[in-house]
mmCIF file of all heavy atoms in Angstrom:
data_model
loop_
_atom_site.group_PDB
_atom_site.id
_atom_site.type_symbol
_atom_site.label_atom_id
_atom_site.label_comp_id
_atom_site.label_asym_id
_atom_site.label_seq_id
_atom_site.Cartn_x
_atom_site.Cartn_y
_atom_site.Cartn_z
ATOM 1 N N GLU A 605 54.269 95.109 90.579
ATOM 2 C CA GLU A 605 52.820 95.088 90.792
ATOM 3 C C GLU A 605 52.118 94.074 89.882
ATOM 4 O O GLU A 605 50.932 93.806 90.048
ATOM 5 C CB GLU A 605 52.229 96.489 90.550
ATOM 6 C CG GLU A 605 52.835 97.587 91.417
ATOM 7 C CD GLU A 605 52.643 97.302 92.895
ATOM 8 O OE1 GLU A 605 51.537 96.886 93.280
ATOM 9 O OE2 GLU A 605 53.613 97.474 93.661
ATOM 10 N N HIS A 606 52.835 93.524 88.925
ATOM 11 C CA HIS A 606 52.229 92.603 87.965
ATOM 12 C C HIS A 606 52.362 91.152 88.431
ATOM 13 O O HIS A 606 53.246 90.807 89.215
ATOM 14 C CB HIS A 606 52.909 92.735 86.593
ATOM 15 C CG HIS A 606 52.633 94.032 85.919
ATOM 16 N ND1 HIS A 606 53.126 94.347 84.669
ATOM 17 C CD2 HIS A 606 51.905 95.119 86.310
ATOM 18 C CE1 HIS A 606 52.724 95.555 84.322
ATOM 19 N NE2 HIS A 606 51.986 96.043 85.304
ATOM 20 N N LYS A 607 51.509 90.298 87.899
ATOM 21 C CA LYS A 607 51.688 88.862 88.056
ATOM 22 C C LYS A 607 52.799 88.415 87.113
ATOM 23 O O LYS A 607 53.044 89.050 86.078
ATOM 24 C CB LYS A 607 50.392 88.124 87.718
ATOM 25 C CG LYS A 607 49.239 88.426 88.659
ATOM 26 C CD LYS A 607 47.980 87.689 88.227
ATOM 27 C CE LYS A 607 46.818 88.004 89.147
ATOM 28 N NZ LYS A 607 45.570 87.335 88.695
ATOM 29 N N ARG A 608 53.451 87.302 87.456
ATOM 30 C CA ARG A 608 54.570 86.839 86.650
ATOM 31 C C ARG A 608 54.384 85.387 86.226
ATOM 32 O O ARG A 608 53.849 84.559 86.985
ATOM 33 C CB ARG A 608 55.884 86.985 87.421
ATOM 34 C CG ARG A 608 56.544 88.347 87.266
ATOM 35 C CD ARG A 608 57.653 88.549 88.266
ATOM 36 N NE ARG A 608 57.120 88.603 89.619
ATOM 37 C CZ ARG A 608 56.552 89.685 90.153
ATOM 38 N NH1 ARG A 608 56.464 90.799 89.437
ATOM 39 N NH2 ARG A 608 56.085 89.661 91.381
ATOM 40 N N VAL A 609 54.845 85.096 84.990
ATOM 41 C CA VAL A 609 54.766 83.757 84.424
ATOM 42 C C VAL A 609 56.139 83.396 83.875
ATOM 43 O O VAL A 609 56.827 84.243 83.302
ATOM 44 C CB VAL A 609 53.713 83.682 83.289
ATOM 45 C CG1 VAL A 609 53.683 82.277 82.672
ATOM 46 C CG2 VAL A 609 52.335 84.075 83.802
ATOM 47 N N LEU A 610 56.540 82.140 84.055
ATOM 48 C CA LEU A 610 57.769 81.631 83.457
ATOM 49 C C LEU A 610 57.410 80.666 82.331
ATOM 50 O O LEU A 610 56.606 79.751 82.519
ATOM 51 C CB LEU A 610 58.616 80.887 84.498
ATOM 52 C CG LEU A 610 59.856 80.142 83.962
ATOM 53 C CD1 LEU A 610 60.879 81.129 83.396
ATOM 54 C CD2 LEU A 610 60.488 79.282 85.057
ATOM 55 N N LEU A 611 57.992 80.883 81.144
ATOM 56 C CA LEU A 611 57.871 79.946 80.015
ATOM 57 C C LEU A 611 59.276 79.438 79.725
ATOM 58 O O LEU A 611 60.152 80.215 79.320
ATOM 59 C CB LEU A 611 57.278 80.648 78.795
ATOM 60 C CG LEU A 611 57.158 79.816 77.510
ATOM 61 C CD1 LEU A 611 56.328 78.559 77.729
ATOM 62 C CD2 LEU A 611 56.567 80.659 76.383
ATOM 63 N N PHE A 612 59.509 78.135 79.924
ATOM 64 C CA PHE A 612 60.872 77.615 79.948
ATOM 65 C C PHE A 612 60.990 76.305 79.177
ATOM 66 O O PHE A 612 60.076 75.481 79.171
ATOM 67 C CB PHE A 612 61.288 77.363 81.406
ATOM 68 C CG PHE A 612 62.745 77.018 81.596
ATOM 69 C CD1 PHE A 612 63.680 78.000 81.858
ATOM 70 C CD2 PHE A 612 63.181 75.694 81.535
ATOM 71 C CE1 PHE A 612 65.027 77.686 82.045
ATOM 72 C CE2 PHE A 612 64.512 75.365 81.719
ATOM 73 C CZ PHE A 612 65.438 76.373 81.970
ATOM 74 N N ASN A 613 62.133 76.127 78.528
ATOM 75 C CA ASN A 613 62.528 74.809 78.027
ATOM 76 C C ASN A 613 64.036 74.770 77.837
ATOM 77 O O ASN A 613 64.671 75.773 77.523
ATOM 78 C CB ASN A 613 61.854 74.449 76.705
ATOM 79 C CG ASN A 613 62.122 72.993 76.338
ATOM 80 O OD1 ASN A 613 62.080 72.115 77.193
ATOM 81 N ND2 ASN A 613 62.407 72.726 75.080
ATOM 82 N N GLN A 614 64.595 73.587 78.040
ATOM 83 C CA GLN A 614 65.973 73.270 77.686
ATOM 84 C C GLN A 614 65.997 71.773 77.429
ATOM 85 O O GLN A 614 65.838 70.978 78.341
ATOM 86 C CB GLN A 614 66.949 73.661 78.784
ATOM 87 C CG GLN A 614 68.387 73.255 78.522
ATOM 88 C CD GLN A 614 68.871 73.535 77.116
ATOM 89 O OE1 GLN A 614 69.100 72.611 76.330
ATOM 90 N NE2 GLN A 614 69.008 74.812 76.767
ATOM 91 N N GLN A 615 66.187 71.408 76.157
ATOM 92 C CA GLN A 615 65.966 70.030 75.731
ATOM 93 C C GLN A 615 67.205 69.150 75.791
ATOM 94 O O GLN A 615 67.098 67.933 75.871
ATOM 95 C CB GLN A 615 65.403 70.015 74.300
ATOM 96 C CG GLN A 615 64.693 68.750 73.913
ATOM 97 C CD GLN A 615 63.351 68.561 74.608
ATOM 98 O OE1 GLN A 615 62.639 69.528 74.855
ATOM 99 N NE2 GLN A 615 62.995 67.328 74.908
ATOM 100 N N THR A 616 68.403 69.749 75.776
ATOM 101 C CA THR A 616 69.597 68.929 75.577
ATOM 102 C C THR A 616 70.634 69.016 76.694
ATOM 103 O O THR A 616 71.535 68.187 76.751
ATOM 104 C CB THR A 616 70.294 69.311 74.261
ATOM 105 O OG1 THR A 616 70.686 70.692 74.316
ATOM 106 C CG2 THR A 616 69.361 69.109 73.076
ATOM 107 N N ARG A 617 70.553 69.999 77.570
ATOM 108 C CA ARG A 617 71.561 70.153 78.605
ATOM 109 C C ARG A 617 71.074 69.615 79.949
ATOM 110 O O ARG A 617 69.915 69.262 80.109
ATOM 111 C CB ARG A 617 71.952 71.634 78.752
ATOM 112 C CG ARG A 617 72.809 72.152 77.604
ATOM 113 C CD ARG A 617 73.075 73.638 77.781
ATOM 114 N NE ARG A 617 74.116 74.114 76.878
ATOM 115 C CZ ARG A 617 73.914 74.442 75.617
ATOM 116 N NH1 ARG A 617 72.706 74.341 75.107
ATOM 117 N NH2 ARG A 617 74.907 74.873 74.851
ATOM 118 N N ASP A 618 71.976 69.607 80.927
ATOM 119 C CA ASP A 618 71.633 69.217 82.292
ATOM 120 C C ASP A 618 70.726 70.298 82.873
ATOM 121 O O ASP A 618 71.178 71.415 83.164
ATOM 122 C CB ASP A 618 72.917 69.067 83.122
ATOM 123 C CG ASP A 618 72.644 68.540 84.521
ATOM 124 O OD1 ASP A 618 71.478 68.260 84.843
ATOM 125 O OD2 ASP A 618 73.612 68.416 85.294
ATOM 126 N N ILE A 619 69.475 69.981 83.058
ATOM 127 C CA ILE A 619 68.489 71.025 83.358
ATOM 128 C C ILE A 619 68.388 71.400 84.828
ATOM 129 O O ILE A 619 68.033 72.530 85.159
ATOM 130 C CB ILE A 619 67.088 70.621 82.838
ATOM 131 C CG1 ILE A 619 66.751 69.204 83.294
ATOM 132 C CG2 ILE A 619 67.000 70.779 81.336
ATOM 133 C CD1 ILE A 619 65.399 68.714 82.827
#
Side-chain angles (χ1 to χ4, degrees):
E605 303 300 317
H606 291 181
K607 295 178 181 177
R608 273 167 294 280
V609 178
L610 172 65
L611 177 57
F612 189 92
N613 189 42
Q614 175 45 249
Q615 200 71 35
T616 61
R617 287 176 168 82
D618 185 2
I619 49 180

